[in-house]
Amino acid sequence: MTVDRILPTDEAHDLLDLATELADRELAPKAAGFEERAEFPREVLRTLGRAGLLGLPYPEEHGGAAQPYEVYLQVLEILASRWLAVAEAVSVHTLSCYPVAQFGTDEQRKLLPDMIGGELLGAYCLSEPQGGSDAAALTTKAVRDGDAYVVSGTKAWITHARVADFYNIFCRTGGPGPKGISCLLADRATPGIHPQAAERTMGLHSSPVAQIAFDDARVPVDRLIGGEGTGFTIAMSALDSGRLGIAACAVGLAQAALDYAVGYAKERQQFGRAIIDFQGLGFSLADAATQISAARALTLAAARLRDAGRPYSIEAAKAKLFATDMAMRVTTDAVQVLGGAGYVTDHPVERYMREAKVLQIVEGTNQIQRLVISRALAKGH
């Protein structure tokens, strides 16, 4: 179905047309096969990078397109509607470029053109086996030794762990708590960095997620981003943007599920008529369409606050919470619309349902989003 969008410029319309063309040609025909083989589509990411779609929100002087975040998120939504794993890869990679782009030195920013252009793929190493939601309690250590930091510890649930070219490593350079955390930028080839076997996930099989072990990996001092003790601030700032990316992915996935369910319901005949004509089913689809529109509006409203330079952290939490819970409901209902056919791999809705679940977990679980929002309410915000 066509989504009626209000975009800020003619250039934004052209970008969405380009994203749609690439998604239809490069993503949609390949998604099922890559997911079945659990194969990461590295060349697809390069294609998107060369088309300028990996650097949309970043400045032109660094190789980006200087687009408003609301435009970037709608591109992400289009990609997610064809293949969630690729859209999530774009979101994670964009998140991985953020520390250097926002807090890096002029020398570090010389890496941005290759990062933003897709020649270098990034990973964001924050979570740990014993520390997920409590990021301030991370234990991965970085000890200064001459002209390098020696990093030891283990990161967990790292998207692109086995295929990334660079890692943002959030590690402890000081005492306990958030003020003791710093951010290092490490190359994949750094000795002592050991990606582990890929996790066997419920969905997103073509997106490699794994632990990374750091065994006295030496990262040059000039790869410290933002100064010692600023890592937690960098991480949380990046996650605000990342949550909007995941919300947009959820909207795109839900839209794909609705479109497929509507198409099926218009063709499937029971009792002499199309099943979409039965109110019980038609009303379910109407609720899904309404929830998708609401999630899209909430996500773009938060993005416009970000674009205006206004506080948006709480609105990003609301968008991520609502959009991902919505995607779980809509994809589950899409399976129900198809009945038995929805439970087999002949149709993509069973994959959509499995994929939707992870969106309620990544970039801060939805329980954490509720905590963020409720604390803001308690403070009178």
Side-chain angles (χ1 to χ4, degrees):
M1 281 180 263
T2 301
V3 176
D4 191 15
R5 302 179 187 274
I6 299 174
L7 296 169
T9 62
D10 290 340
E11 183 183 10
H13 283 280
D14 292 340
L15 278 170
L16 263 65
D17 287 344
L18 173 63
T20 301
E21 179 188 343
L22 285 171
D24 287 341
R25 187 180 75 229
E26 300 290 339
L27 275 62
K30 300 174 182 176
F34 273 77
E35 289 293 329
E36 187 175 350
R37 297 191 300 272
E39 179 183 350
F40 181 65
R42 184 65 181 91
E43 286 305 312
V44 172
L45 269 294
R46 283 197 179 91
T47 298
L48 295 179
R50 289 165 185 164
L53 297 186
L54 294 187
L56 291 177
Y58 291 114
E60 291 177 340
E61 61 263 32
H62 300 315
Q67 288 297 308
Y69 222 70
E70 67 164 302
V71 174
Y72 158 66
L73 292 181
Q74 291 182 82
V75 168
L76 206 56
E77 178 193 329
I78 289 168
L79 299 179
S81 70
R82 273 63 166 188
W83 189 356
L84 179 63
V86 169
E88 192 230 15
V90 172
S91 182
V92 168
H93 178 70
T94 302
L95 180 73
S96 300
C97 295
Y98 180 86
V100 173
Q102 192 69 22
F103 298 94
T105 64
D106 289 342
E107 190 64 26
Q108 289 167 348
R109 286 176 179 158
K110 290 179 181 178
L111 298 168
L112 280 172
D114 281 344
M115 293 163 70
I116 288 172
E119 295 307 312
L120 298 177
L121 187 68
Y124 194 80
C125 305
L126 180 61
S127 294
E128 297 184 353
Q130 302 303 320
S133 295
D134 188 7
L138 63 82
T139 60
T140 295
K141 252 192 206 179
V143 178
R144 178 77 179 263
D145 180 28
D147 62 354
Y149 287 95
V150 180
V151 183
S152 58
T154 303
K155 293 295 182 179
W157 310 114
I158 306 303
T159 300
H160 302 160
R162 297 171 57 82
V163 296
D165 299 296
F166 67 91
Y167 303 98
N168 294 282
I169 309 169
F170 293 91
C171 47
R172 192 162 298 284
T173 55
K179 292 182 180 179
I181 296 172
S182 300
C183 179
L184 297 173
L185 181 68
D187 294 331
R188 175 185 185 175
T190 303
I193 297 181
H194 305 294
Q196 304 298 294
E199 304 285 359
R200 299 171 64 187
T201 54
M202 178 189 295
L204 294 180
H205 294 158
S206 63
S207 177
V209 175
Q211 291 190 357
I212 303 178
F214 298 92
D215 183 14
D216 292 339
R218 293 182 66 86
V219 180
V221 169
D222 63 8
R223 289 300 189 89
L224 174 68
I225 300 176
E228 284 197 6
T230 63
F232 191 76
T233 298
I234 294 171
M236 294 302 104
S237 175
L239 284 177
D240 285 340
S241 298
R243 285 166 181 165
L244 290 180
I246 294 302
C249 285
V251 172
L253 181 68
Q255 187 69 60
L258 174 64
D259 291 350
Y260 197 91
V262 168
Y264 183 90
K266 289 163 71 174
E267 295 293 327
R268 173 71 168 166
Q269 297 280 324
Q270 291 288 279
F271 305 103
R273 53 179 172 157
I275 62 173
I276 198 170
D277 293 331
F278 293 98
Q279 283 189 348
L281 191 146
F283 284 8
S284 175
L285 295 172
D287 286 343
T290 303
Q291 290 164 12
I292 291 169
S293 292
R296 181 181 291 116
L298 190 59
T299 301
L300 293 179
R304 287 168 185 141
L305 286 175
R306 185 189 190 278
D307 290 332
R310 294 169 59 182
Y312 71 99
S313 178
I314 305 306
E315 298 309 308
K318 292 176 185 175
K320 196 273 182 182
L321 169 64
F322 184 84
T324 58
D325 279 355
M326 174 278 298
M328 193 72 247
R329 286 193 302 271
V330 169
T331 55
T332 301
D333 287 348
V335 171
Q336 191 70 22
V337 168
L338 270 69
Y343 199 66
V344 296
T345 57
D346 303 59
H347 300 275
V349 290
E350 61 83 27
R351 172 163 61 86
Y352 297 159
M353 180 180 171
R354 289 185 287 105
E355 291 174 342
K357 187 62 207 173
V358 76
L359 299 177
Q360 295 177 300
I361 298 169
V362 295
E363 309 291 20
T365 66
N366 282 7
Q367 286 72 25
I368 288 294
Q369 308 314 314
R370 290 181 171 90
L371 184 63
V372 167
I373 297 163
S374 64
R375 283 179 175 172
L377 293 173
K379 292 177 181 177
H381 297 310

